[in-house]
Amino acid sequence: MFESAEIGHKISKSEYEAQESTLRIQLLEIQEELKNASFPVIILIGGVDGAGKGETVNLLHEWIDPRHLETHAFGAASDEERERPEAWRFWRVLPPKGKIGILFGSWYTHPIIDRVYGKTKIADLDVALMRINSFEKELVDDGALIIKFWFHLSKQAQSDRLKALMKNPETRWRVTDVDWQHFKLYDKFRRTSEHAIRTTSTGEAPWIIVEGSDKRYRSITVGKHILNLISKRLATDNTQETKISPPPTLIENPYTILDTLDLEQSLSEEEYKRLLEKYQGRLNLLFRQAKSIGKSIILVFEGWDAAGKGGIIRRITSALDARDYQVIPIAAPTDEERSHHYLWRFWRHLPRAGRVTIFDRSWYGRVLVERVEGFASEPEWMRAYNEIVNFEQQLQDHGTLVLKFWVHIDPDEQLRRFQLRQETPYKHYKITDEDFRNRAKWNDYELAANEMIERTSTEFAPWYMVEANDKKFARIKVVKTLCDRLKKSL
C-alpha cells in the first residue's frame, strides 16, 4: 500500500516557488467561499513520526486565514476525557459549517497504537475501525467534508529524518524517546497502519497517502488536495435551507404500543407520600454507591406536552446532591447548534464519572418533532435511528447507565392540563399557541413515537413507558424504575 509513497517524490525550489503563491491565493479564495457553505471541512493528519505532519499543519496556518481555521492536537487523554466515552473529545471540537478544522492525531491514534503494543487483539482493532467507519459516515451524511492525510516515510527515510533532527540543536527538541520507541516498532506500525487505512478508506472518506521525505513536495501536494476537494464540494453545495413537507398521515386512528398502556392507574395521596419517601431515600443511597465507583448516569425524558416530565425530574433531583447532577432542557437548536451535527450538542453535555445528566427532551427530537414538523427529511430521520443506537451503545460500553422514559397521557388529560395552565398565572409561561396547534398532529406524533420505541429500545438502553394521567403514579413508577435499574447495574 505504501510503495507509491517511497519512490522519492521531489519538487525543486524554483518549481515550489512558482506554485506556492498561486496556491495560497486560491486557498484563501476558496476559504472565503466556504464561509457561507452548508458544510464543515474536517482535515485529519496522521502518519509516521518525522514525516512532516507538524510542519505541514504550521504551514497551513500560514496559508489559510486562521480566523476560520481550528486546529486541535490530541495526546494522552486528560482525566476529564477519560471519564467519558473516547469519542467525546473529538465530537466537542468538530468545526461548525463554513469552517475548517484540523485534527492533529484523531480517532485512529489509540486503536493503532494499542494494537502495535499488544494491548488489543486484531478483532478489537477491527471493531474500533468499524465504529470509526460508522462515525465518519454519520458526519458525511450530515454534509461534512472529511479529508484524511497519511504522511508516510520508509524505514530508512524515517531513521535519516530523526537523526537529522537530532543533529540540529534547533530541532533536537522535536524528537522524543517515544519517537525512537515507535521507530523500533516500525514494521508493526506499518502492518497495523496498512490494515487500518485499507479498512477505513471508504468512498465517503478516502485516505490520501503523502510521501513525507521532501518538504516542498508534501506541502504542495496537501495544499492542492485541500483546494481541489473543497472546490469540488462547493460546486455541489446547496446552502438554501428549506422546510420539508412531512408526509401525510396514512392512518387516521392508529393503534400503537402506547394504546396498550393502562392510564387509569393511580395512587392515593397517602400512598404516594409513603412511596416517594421510600424510593427517594433508596435512590440517594444507591447514587452514593454509584458515585463512589465513578459510575455516571444519563436519564432521558420524552413524552407529550404537559405530561409531567418536569415534575418527575424534580422528584429525582430532590433526592440528589445539587453538585452531582445537571438538568439539560432541550428547546429549538441555537444557531451554533444548527451549524453542527444534531448529536453534537448532546455529546457536549455527557456527565463526568459519578455524575448524573438529565435530558428534558433529547436527541430523539430528530425522529419526533423534526420528523413530524418537517425540519428533517425522511433520509435524515430514518438514518437517525441507527445513529442514536450507536451513540447509546458507546455510552453503555463506557459504563454509563442510560434510562429512557416516555411519559404518556391521553388527549383529554392533556387538554385539561393546558386549560389549567391558562387559568393559573404562574403557569402561563408553560403554555403557548404552538402547544394547541400540535394537538392537531396527535396521530402523527403517536406513530412517530411508536416507531421510535420500536427501533431504539435495545437491551442496553430500553424504553420505559410511563402511564401519567395520574402524576403521582408516574412519579413513583419512574423513581422506582431508576432505583431498580441502578441497583442491578451496581
Side-chain angles (χ1 to χ4, degrees):
M1 175 176 289
F2 293 130
E3 286 77 8
S4 63
E6 296 180 351
I7 60 178
H9 290 97
K10 289 186 178 181
I11 290 180
S12 67
K13 183 178 180 181
S14 59
E15 185 179 357
Y16 175 80
E17 291 174 347
Q19 295 187 50
E20 182 198 19
S21 59
T22 301
L23 181 57
R24 291 181 68 169
I25 292 171
Q26 291 174 325
L27 284 170
L28 287 169
E29 290 174 344
I30 208 70
Q31 188 182 22
E32 189 66 27
E33 285 187 57
L34 181 65
K35 291 178 186 178
N36 299 316
S38 65
F39 64 93
V41 177
I42 303 168
I43 300 175
L44 305 189
I45 303 293
V48 174
D49 296 330
K53 301 187 295 291
E55 293 172 275
T56 304
V57 170
N58 290 336
L59 186 64
L60 289 174
H61 273 268
E62 293 180 24
W63 286 1
I64 300 176
D65 185 348
R67 294 173 297 177
H68 302 281
L69 175 67
E70 302 174 358
T71 296
H72 299 276
F74 297 95
S78 66
D79 290 343
E80 185 181 20
E81 291 169 336
R82 282 193 295 270
E83 290 179 10
R84 295 176 171 93
E86 186 177 2
W88 178 79
R89 69 198 303 222
F90 305 117
W91 270 99
R92 62 200 292 262
V93 300
L94 291 177
K97 296 174 183 176
K99 288 195 176 183
I100 300 173
I102 299 177
L103 304 190
F104 191 0
S106 66
W107 37 87
Y108 288 94
T109 305
H110 282 155
I112 290 174
I113 289 178
D114 287 348
R115 177 60 192 142
V116 169
Y117 279 87
K119 296 179 181 179
T120 57
K121 297 180 180 179
I122 188 65
D124 300 315
L125 174 62
D126 286 336
V127 169
L129 297 178
M130 287 174 59
R131 179 163 284 174
I132 286 172
N133 280 340
S134 178
F135 173 42
E136 292 180 350
K137 187 174 188 308
E138 284 184 25
L139 298 178
V140 171
D141 284 345
D142 195 58
L145 171 61
I146 300 178
I147 304 174
K148 303 188 296 192
F149 291 109
W150 186 271
F151 291 73
H152 180 71
L153 289 174
S154 67
K155 191 172 186 178
Q156 184 59 51
Q158 185 185 30
S159 176
D160 294 342
R161 172 70 170 163
L162 294 176
K163 288 176 181 177
L165 290 171
M166 286 288 292
K167 188 175 181 181
N168 186 342
E170 295 182 0
T171 59
R172 187 175 299 150
W173 62 271
R174 292 167 55 185
V175 182
T176 67
D177 292 340
V178 173
D179 293 327
W180 286 114
Q181 190 173 353
H182 285 181
F183 175 71
K184 292 178 182 178
L185 297 169
Y186 178 92
D187 294 333
K188 287 185 178 180
F189 267 107
R190 177 169 180 145
R191 288 194 300 271
T192 304
S193 299
E194 283 183 335
H195 179 76
I197 291 171
R198 185 170 59 250
T199 305
T200 59
S201 193
T202 60
E204 54 266 4
W207 278 100
I208 300 167
I209 299 176
V210 180
E211 186 169 2
S213 56
D214 182 74
K215 177 180 179 179
R216 292 188 287 266
Y217 169 80
R218 68 173 181 254
S219 300
I220 294 297
T221 299
V222 168
K224 283 186 173 180
H225 274 295
I226 292 173
L227 175 66
N228 292 338
L229 289 169
I230 295 178
S231 299
K232 184 177 179 181
R233 181 69 174 79
L234 281 169
T236 61
D237 185 43
N238 179 14
T239 58
Q240 192 70 27
E241 292 188 9
T242 56
K243 187 174 178 179
I244 303 146
S245 298
T249 302
L250 300 179
I251 305 173
E252 291 301 324
N253 294 298
Y255 186 77
T256 69
I257 192 170
L258 302 179
D259 293 306
T260 66
L261 302 181
D262 180 7
L263 296 177
E264 298 300 317
Q265 299 179 85
S266 63
L267 289 174
S268 66
E269 185 68 25
E270 182 180 350
E271 184 72 355
Y272 167 69
K273 289 180 178 179
R274 183 184 69 81
L275 292 174
L276 183 63
E277 183 178 0
K278 171 185 175 181
Y279 289 116
Q280 283 182 331
R282 185 176 297 178
L283 175 59
N284 181 272
L285 293 174
L286 288 166
F287 177 69
R288 289 185 190 183
Q289 295 178 43
K291 182 180 179 180
S292 70
I293 62 172
K295 187 168 199 59
S296 53
I297 303 167
I298 292 177
L299 305 180
V300 173
F301 288 91
E302 293 286 355
W304 303 103
D305 294 331
K309 297 183 293 295
I312 294 172
I313 290 170
R314 286 192 294 274
R315 272 63 186 183
I316 293 171
T317 56
S318 62
L320 306 176
D321 187 322
R323 294 168 294 184
D324 294 328
Y325 71 83
Q326 60 174 344
V327 179
I328 309 296
I330 300 300
T334 63
D335 289 342
E336 181 188 24
E337 290 166 344
R338 275 195 296 270
S339 70
H340 290 84
H341 190 285
Y342 74 96
L343 286 175
W344 176 79
R345 62 170 167 165
F346 304 108
W347 273 98
R348 296 171 73 201
H349 291 299
L350 296 188
R352 297 193 66 165
R355 308 286 178 83
V356 182
T357 297
I358 302 172
F359 288 96
D360 185 353
R361 299 200 182 281
S362 68
W363 43 91
Y364 284 98
R366 174 54 60 108
V367 296
L368 290 172
V369 65
E370 292 185 42
R371 165 185 173 171
V372 174
E373 300 298 336
F375 295 119
S377 66
E378 185 169 350
E380 287 174 331
W381 57 258
M382 280 295 290
R383 67 172 177 259
Y385 295 120
N386 186 59
E387 293 170 351
I388 287 169
V389 170
N390 286 340
F391 171 40
E392 293 173 355
Q393 177 77 66
Q394 291 180 69
L395 298 176
Q396 192 269 345
D397 289 347
H398 185 69
T400 302
L401 177 62
V402 181
L403 276 79
K404 306 181 300 193
F405 298 97
W406 175 267
V407 187
H408 189 60
I409 55 177
D410 62 35
D412 292 339
E413 178 62 19
Q414 184 189 58
L415 180 59
R416 188 188 71 79
R417 294 184 186 182
F418 279 0
Q419 292 169 341
L420 181 62
R421 288 179 174 183
Q422 287 181 315
E423 296 165 2
T424 308
Y426 64 85
K427 292 187 177 181
H428 283 176
Y429 75 96
K430 291 186 175 183
I431 190 74
T432 66
D433 292 339
E434 190 79 1
D435 295 322
F436 282 99
R437 188 192 64 80
N438 288 343
R439 282 176 56 80
K441 296 186 177 182
W442 185 279
N443 287 347
D444 295 329
Y445 276 102
E446 186 169 346
L447 285 169
N450 183 75
E451 188 169 358
M452 173 196 76
I453 293 167
E454 177 185 296
R455 289 176 177 268
T456 63
S457 192
T458 59
E459 70 278 8
F460 51 84
W463 276 102
Y464 293 96
M465 290 171 285
V466 181
E467 302 86 345
N469 267 16
D470 180 73
K471 292 182 179 181
K472 298 186 293 295
F473 177 86
R475 293 166 183 172
I476 296 303
K477 179 170 183 176
V478 170
V479 179
K480 181 181 184 300
T481 301
L482 174 55
C483 288
D484 293 343
R485 277 295 308 277
L486 182 52
K487 181 180 179 180
K488 183 177 180 181
S489 178
L490 291 170

